[in-house]
Amino acid sequence: MDSNRTHLLRSFVFSQSINTTEVAAAYQADQSSIDPRATLINKIGEDGYIFIFNHGSVVFWNVAEDEQSQQLKKLLDLSSIPGLKPRFSETFAVLERPGPAIVEFNRLIIDRLSNDRMEVIASTLAQSTSMEYYESLVEESWSQVDALLKQLRETGTLGVMPAPINRQIAASLSLRSSVIRVLH
């Protein structure tokens, strides 16, 4: 890889899980050397890559936006992936230049890239994007419970039967459990 080169990454979350077996067949993608059950890697163009993670995230490395759109459409056309639009995206830059590694909010400066380093960086970005997505789902779910609890505090009644609040609390706890399980 070239010195003093900037690599642009973009991560999307659009599903709770991706069947990597089906995707591997469709993409003729390589299994990850780090986690072959969870990650697929496919080269796009001269220096672009797509990393597909079984927890529902996709990371593009040096891939133009129009090609990203085409690749996301290809993924969404597969039967095992729910037809959802990408919910969250995050961008990140990796700068190759001699010297010590420096981690910033949306940029990493590193002396050189290897395939394993690329995969670790892509995996970290995918997990970060997934965490933001799940954090928003959990926050939304618990805000509904909070509204019911506020009404109970203020009026002493819920105005609804106990079953709806029990269902909402169960849904919130189930979502929290799902988040932990998927990201584990």
Side-chain angles (χ1 to χ4, degrees), residues 16-36:
Q16 291 187 355
S17 65
I18 294 176
N19 179 338
T20 54
T21 305
E22 180 185 0
V23 174
Y27 271 83
Q28 300 175 349
D30 294 329
Q31 300 292 139
S32 161
S33 61
I34 295 173
D35 190 352

Side-chain angles (χ1 to χ4, degrees), residues 15 17-25 37 40 52-56 75 78-82:
S15 177
S17 65
I18 294 176
N19 179 338
T20 54
T21 305
E22 180 185 0
V23 174
R37 295 168 299 134
L40 299 172
I52 303 166
F53 298 91
N54 68 347
H55 57 76
L75 277 170
L78 298 175
S79 63
S80 67
I81 298 175

Side-chain angles (χ1 to χ4, degrees), residues 53-67:
F53 298 91
N54 68 347
H55 57 76
S57 293
V58 174
V59 174
F60 293 100
W61 187 292
N62 291 335
V63 176
E65 281 190 41
D66 59 332
E67 181 65 23

Side-chain angles (χ1 to χ4, degrees), residues 51-145:
F51 295 84
I52 303 166
F53 298 91
N54 68 347
H55 57 76
S57 293
V58 174
V59 174
F60 293 100
W61 187 292
N62 291 335
V63 176
E65 281 190 41
D66 59 332
E67 181 65 23
Q68 291 176 23
S69 296
Q70 291 175 14
Q71 294 297 324
L72 287 172
K73 182 182 179 334
K74 181 178 177 180
L75 277 170
L76 290 172
D77 287 343
L78 298 175
S79 63
S80 67
I81 298 175
L84 301 174
K85 291 186 177 179
R87 305 230 177 155
F88 272 85
S89 72
E90 200 171 318
T91 57
F92 194 76
V94 176
L95 173 62
E96 284 182 275
R97 77 171 184 216
I102 300 171
V103 179
E104 298 172 349
F105 177 72
N106 61 352
R107 182 173 79 154
L108 169 67
I109 302 169
I110 192 168
D111 62 344
R112 66 177 172 75
L113 280 175
S114 65
N115 289 341
D116 287 344
R117 284 183 172 188
M118 286 174 63
E119 190 173 335
V120 168
I121 293 165
S123 176
T124 302
L125 180 60
Q127 289 173 0
S128 172
T129 308
S130 290
M131 286 300 296
E132 282 187 49
Y133 166 65
Y134 285 114
E135 183 179 304
S136 74
L137 291 179
V138 169
E139 181 65 32
E140 180 182 315
S141 182
W142 281 109
S143 70
Q144 293 171 5
V145 171

